[in-house]
Amino acid sequence: MSLSETQPDAAGARRIARPVPLRESVYSAILDMIVSRNLQPGQHLVESELALMLGVSRQPVREALQWLKNDGWVDLRPGLGAYVHTPTVEEADQLLAVRRLLETESARLAAQHATEEGVEHLRELCRQGFAALEAEDVATMVALNAELHATVMRLSRNDVLVELASQVDRRVRWYYTPVARHRGAQSWTEHSALIDAIAAGDGDRAGEVMHAHTEHTRLSYLEQQNLEKSGTDAGSPAITGRRP
């Protein structure tokens, strides 16, 4: 009996899962540290230190840094080494403006297509967001914010919007992290108003709320950058769990 006679056809074949190449795992680990701001914009990335931190050799770190450079997350300076990319105001402004357009449309469509289960999931994320706000847990707030916006995208039932949004998601989180504390209760109050509009099936209202919400985040980021240039930190005050 031949091997082909003993094996399932191509449609039913079991394929051996291929392990993720080490350089890809290193790429993801470094990118996560950049997005979470554990590695700050402008910070020098020393291969030996990253290798020790991640428990790998320097070679996959070197390869990962090259990939990160190609994707715009890292700057390689001849003779000096690798540094976390420092986004210009123009870069952030352009991306956040595009995000506003995508998310405004997603909110409008979500109001037309959202199910009761989808709305309840949004409300649960919002409840968790207010809890993280009270606990002054910025990392959890950022993660919940990203999940809430991703859920609205999925509820839009527009696959093109979902795909486009996924392309900018990490950079949005990167820009949002330093202003999450400053946005505080206002951001989650806006989320609550957005969910109410989606639950009511009011597409126009949902679009208006999302447009204003994403615009507030864009302006907060630009304000933060201006304050940092002048030597003031807008994110220094403690998070307030109450609406100003």
Side-chain angles (χ1 to χ4, degrees):
M1 183 180 292
S2 68
L3 180 62
S4 62
E5 292 175 322
T6 63
Q7 299 298 316
D9 60 24
R14 291 185 178 181
R15 297 185 179 276
I16 297 175
R18 296 182 180 180
V20 176
L22 185 57
R23 61 180 178 274
E24 291 185 20
S25 296
V26 172
Y27 173 100
S28 295
I30 297 175
L31 181 53
D32 285 344
M33 288 189 285
I34 292 174
V35 172
S36 65
R37 300 276 174 154
N38 288 320
L39 294 174
Q40 292 287 323
Q43 184 171 340
H44 188 200
L45 301 174
V46 181
E47 288 182 6
S48 58
E49 293 178 358
L50 289 171
L52 181 62
M53 181 189 305
L54 299 174
V56 298
S57 67
R58 293 177 63 175
Q59 182 59 31
V61 171
R62 186 175 300 115
E63 294 174 352
L65 290 176
Q66 182 61 54
W67 283 9
L68 289 162
K69 182 261 184 186
N70 294 341
D71 290 343
W73 294 99
V74 165
D75 297 325
L76 298 181
R77 303 175 188 173
L80 296 175
Y83 294 79
V84 177
H85 177 65
T86 300
T88 65
V89 171
E90 290 75 16
E91 284 177 48
D93 193 24
Q94 289 176 13
L95 183 133
L96 292 174
V98 169
R99 179 234 188 177
R100 184 186 62 221
L101 295 173
L102 295 175
E103 300 226 22
T104 297
E105 179 64 7
S106 76
R108 186 184 69 80
L109 292 174
Q112 297 176 12
H113 301 296
T115 61
E116 290 184 8
E117 292 79 7
V119 170
E120 180 52 36
H121 181 52
L122 288 174
R123 294 200 189 281
E124 176 57 28
L125 290 172
C126 199
R127 284 191 287 268
Q128 292 178 28
F130 276 112
L133 182 69
E134 291 288 350
E136 299 190 1
D137 186 347
V138 174
T140 298
M141 276 200 299
V142 172
L144 289 168
N145 179 77
E147 176 58 23
L148 189 146
H149 282 265
T151 299
V152 173
M153 275 290 173
R154 291 192 295 270
L155 292 176
S156 76
R157 298 188 187 178
N158 186 309
D159 292 340
V160 175
L161 274 178
V162 172
E163 181 180 356
L164 291 173
S166 69
Q167 295 176 22
V168 301
D169 173 67
R170 273 180 165 161
R171 290 193 185 274
V172 169
R173 280 187 284 155
W174 192 33
Y175 298 144
Y176 180 70
T177 297
V179 301
R181 181 183 295 273
H182 179 58
R183 288 278 278 132
Q186 181 185 9
S187 179
W188 290 97
T189 298
E190 292 165 1
H191 284 151
S192 183
L194 171 67
I195 296 167
D196 286 344
I198 291 174
D202 189 340
D204 291 339
R205 175 60 179 160
E208 290 172 2
V209 174
M210 181 66 91
H211 184 281
H213 172 68
T214 51
E215 178 66 1
H216 289 159
T217 298
R218 186 183 72 86
L219 293 176
S220 292
Y221 180 84
L222 297 179
E223 178 187 5
Q224 173 80 12
Q225 297 309 298
N226 290 332
L227 289 173
E228 286 182 358
K229 287 181 180 179
S230 65
T232 306
D233 182 6
S236 58
I239 299 176
T240 173
R242 295 176 176 81
R243 187 174 181 177

